[in-house]
Amino acid sequence: MDASSLDRPVCECDHIDKENRASQTLFTCRNCVVVAHADQSASHNIARKAEAVWIAGCESRVPATP
């Protein structure tokens, strides 16, 4: 997982902008004005990406055996 992109989408609107990073510890979404701690935002994004990977892995591409 690319660590530089984990802090980009700070909220549910998925607005990506380097200007969202107000400081080392603070994120403010320029689109929907959500404010969050940078670590909290990154952990939320990790969880969302992990869930997508988990769901994709659960969908078997192998035909079921009788």
Side-chain angles (χ1 to χ4, degrees):
M1 217 178 269
D2 182 17
S4 65
S5 68
L6 291 177
D7 56 1
R8 292 269 172 93
V10 67
C11 56
E12 295 303 319
C13 77
D14 289 329
H15 177 72
I16 297 175
D17 187 348
K18 287 183 179 182
E19 298 297 317
N20 285 344
R21 187 79 180 242
S23 69
Q24 178 69 25
T25 60
L26 184 66
F27 265 80
T28 304
C29 181
R30 304 267 184 208
N31 187 51
C32 65
V33 198
V34 167
V35 177
H37 189 280
D39 291 343
Q40 182 181 21
S41 174
S43 66
H44 175 75
N45 292 328
I46 290 169
R48 284 177 42 186
K49 288 182 180 187
E51 181 181 28
V53 169
W54 176 264
I55 290 169
C58 289
E59 297 171 358
S60 178
R61 300 181 206 316
V62 178
T65 57

